[in-house]
Amino acid sequence: MLLGATSLMMLAQQAEGNAWVSEELTTYVRSGPTDGYRIIGTLTAGEPVEVLETSGDYTRVENSEGDTVWVLSKELQETPSAGEQLPVLEARVEALSAELEGINETWEQRVASMTHTLEVREQRIAELEVRNNELDSETEQSRQQMRALQARLDTQEEDLLMRYFMYGGSVAGAGLLVGLIVPHLPRRRKKRDRWF
């Protein structure tokens, strides 16, 4: 990736630091900081270098072999090359794949457990609904029995009251009859004692 204007300004401000030769080209290096200096070699694309100083459009760098050369600043980038990033990224991908596989297994176990729990709960709910219907039916039957018993009780109470009235009326009628008949009965006269 080529550096933008902001990156160039940052490179100009750096006295020392690390940079990498751009991967998009083979970079010719010079003995000085202008196009007037002769080309003294090349740097491999993606090769890491240490930034020593910047002058104009050129930056003086030191490669891994200790050679100090000047290279166009726009041919440097601040991020490591793909060649260096690739092993790290591959290791990261492998770690993430292993983690994802573990996550998948964990989720599969959790989903299976939750499915089993859901099935058990659904079965329990079905059983409770059946039991609830049975209890509703029993409750309705009990209510009907209570209504029938209440009706019988009311009828018996009425019969009992009628009997009380009848007994009371009979007793009163008998008393009245006795009260009317008794005064008209002939009385027995007391025998007089002849000794007096």
Side-chain angles (χ1 to χ4, degrees), residues 6-66:
T6 306
S7 300
L8 287 173
M9 291 176 64
M10 289 175 64
L11 279 175
Q13 294 172 356
Q14 289 180 343
E16 292 183 6
N18 293 325
W20 288 261
V21 178
S22 175
E23 297 177 54
E24 298 181 0
L25 46 86
T26 300
T27 303
Y28 293 100
V29 294
R30 298 180 181 271
S31 60
T34 64
D35 292 343
Y37 287 88
R38 66 186 178 85
I39 294 173
I40 56 172
T42 60
L43 288 174
T44 306
E47 181 180 345
V49 293
E50 183 180 351
V51 175
L52 300 176
E53 63 177 300
T54 299
S55 177
D57 293 336
Y58 280 82
T59 299
R60 188 164 71 97
V61 298
E62 181 179 346
N63 66 8
S64 57
E65 297 176 357

Side-chain angles (χ1 to χ4, degrees), residues 36-108:
Y37 287 88
R38 66 186 178 85
I39 294 173
I40 56 172
T42 60
L43 288 174
T44 306
E47 181 180 345
V49 293
E50 183 180 351
V51 175
L52 300 176
E53 63 177 300
T54 299
S55 177
D57 293 336
Y58 280 82
T59 299
R60 188 164 71 97
V61 298
E62 181 179 346
N63 66 8
S64 57
E65 297 176 357
D67 297 329
T68 302
V69 293
W70 290 87
V71 64
L72 279 170
S73 297
K74 67 180 182 179
E75 294 177 354
L76 296 173
Q77 63 186 32
E78 293 179 331
T79 56
S81 67
E84 288 194 12
Q85 292 184 40
L86 186 60
V88 175
L89 293 174
E90 285 176 344
R92 181 68 178 148
V93 166
E94 187 176 343
L96 288 174
S97 297
E99 185 177 345
L100 182 61
E101 186 176 336
I103 289 173
N104 284 340
E105 290 178 4
T106 302
W107 273 106
E108 286 174 1

Side-chain angles (χ1 to χ4, degrees), residues 116-145:
H116 176 69
T117 303
L118 183 61
E119 289 173 354
V120 169
R121 288 183 179 175
E122 287 177 348
Q123 182 179 358
R124 182 64 179 150
I125 288 170
E127 291 172 358
L128 290 173
E129 287 177 348
V130 169
R131 181 61 182 149
N132 188 40
N133 292 335
E134 290 174 355
L135 290 174
D136 286 344
S137 177
E138 291 176 6
T139 302
E140 185 59 30
Q141 289 176 0
S142 297
R143 285 176 182 165
Q144 291 176 359
Q145 289 177 355

Side-chain angles (χ1 to χ4, degrees), residues 109-120:
Q109 291 174 356
R110 289 183 65 182
V111 167
S113 174
M114 291 171 68
T115 302
H116 176 69
T117 303
L118 183 61
E119 289 173 354
V120 169

